[in-house]
Amino acid sequence: MSFWLDSLGPIERRTALPGDRDADVAIVGGGYTGLWTAFYLARARPDLRIVVLEAEFCGFGASGRNGGWASGLFPVSEAALTRRFGADAAKAMHAALAGAVDEVGRAGIDCDYAKGGVISLIRTPGQLRRAPADRLDAARTRAICDATGVLGGVYSEHCAALHPGKLVRGLASAVEELGVTIHEGTRALSVTAGEVITDRGTVRAGTVVRALEGYTAELPGHRRDLAPVYSLMIATEPLPAAVWDRIGLRRRETFTDERRMIIYGQRTADDRLAFGGRGAPYHFGSRVRPEYDRVPAVFGKLRHTVQELFGIEVAVAARWGGPLGIPRDWMPSVGLRDGVAWAGGYVGDGVAATNLAGRTLTDLILGRESDLTRLPWVGHRSRRWEPEPLRWLGINGGLQGAALLDALDR
């Protein structure tokens, strides 16, 4: 599945839904979004009957395969949010995400959490021209992360490195301790107001929460809501202390660079480099298949990029991938309408955003007005993706365009 999940040993699946049942809240999806929602709902209202339904096992999707960044990053820039919603709303959105980074750490789940921030390396003249005025110079950047060809960097404190598998499995155990029922091996076939029809029975509930992220497109009627785009990762064998003395990342800062084709990495708690990036193709019809998790050519590029970044040879211990959910306008959303709640579209920055989404959904479901329910992503509806073949042409054309621009930068 992933280095993160494999490192935890064999997974014992929870029991499937034994048949029809009633609940107060039925949550479809056993990833971060669904589990954080169950966590905060159960803490606020222990009397609620909350059921989580998961097709495979908790953490099967992006929650168990991501890069381990709990970041305050948002796919839509503050400037774009300001143009659309106003300056106050944009600042509130980014402040809430920054606070979510700390909230994940305060949850008390053992997940190798280390808030060292994130450094984005500037490594070409083109990247330097696009960089903000408050960037770090080359010397200060290398003091954090001594990569090759560094011309400067952009640093933010609002990011923590963590072990995604430990977080999602620990969170699942925590919600069970709060009295929430989790049924794994239970696939939702239909999600509508008042009920979830699964391959194991029907759950009738006053509120239904859809929390499927990259797998949303597999649900009838939602094929064009979120595009499942794949991101792939590798993890090295543990690197020697002498190598880390040179590279740095002493506070386990996460790292990326200013290229357009996104890359992301972290120093793990056991001194590996976990490194990933986009570049795998979008598949026609928003198809999601296990074989799409592994693209040898992309794995080869990831290994080459790590070696080029740090000037070292690395032994790769694990390779994996999976889909993330991208809305047409790159704007994540949270909402509740006519008994059906939803959250998602994080564009790969969901580890902290899901925590914020879970707390926001809790307030919405309980009918509580708060600063969270007034954030600009609440109730937002993205335009649907174009029908095929336009969707396939547009997304893959965008990926190729980003790669071309990066090549021109170099």
Side-chain angles (χ1 to χ4, degrees), residues 119-123 128 135-139 141-142 149-154:
I119 184 70
S120 182
L121 306 169
I122 300 168
R123 302 176 65 242
L128 189 61
R135 62 182 178 270
L136 305 181
D137 62 22
T141 302
R142 285 196 298 269
V150 168
L151 302 176
V154 181

Side-chain angles (χ1 to χ4, degrees), residues 215-291:
Y215 297 88
T216 301
E218 296 193 313
L219 201 62
H222 296 275
R223 179 74 64 183
R224 292 165 54 197
D225 288 358
L226 293 176
V229 175
Y230 278 73
S231 195
L232 274 57
M233 290 197 70
I234 61 173
T236 71
E237 297 289 356
L239 302 181
V243 172
W244 283 117
D245 287 343
R246 182 178 64 76
I247 293 174
L249 303 176
R250 292 170 183 83
R251 298 190 303 131
R252 290 188 56 215
E253 296 91 345
T254 57
F255 66 92
T256 181
D257 71 10
E258 291 291 298
R259 73 184 74 195
R260 295 171 178 86
M261 188 70 80
I262 294 171
I263 61 169
Y264 50 93
Q266 68 150 290
R267 177 181 182 173
T268 67
D270 62 348
D271 285 338
R272 302 170 189 267
L273 273 169
F275 184 78
R278 312 285 163 81
Y282 161 81
H283 299 278
F284 193 90
S286 294
R287 289 195 301 268
V288 176
R289 301 285 187 274
E291 57 267 28

Side-chain angles (χ1 to χ4, degrees), residues 32 36 66 68-73 96-104 113 158-160 162 167 346 348-359 377:
Y32 292 147
W36 281 124
N66 64 81
W69 287 33
S71 81
L73 297 173
L97 277 169
V101 176
D102 296 324
E103 182 68 17
V104 171
Y113 180 96
H158 302 304
C159 191
L162 52 77
L167 177 59
Y346 308 112
D349 280 315
V351 179
T354 52
N355 175 278
L356 178 60
R359 287 182 284 129
W377 70 342

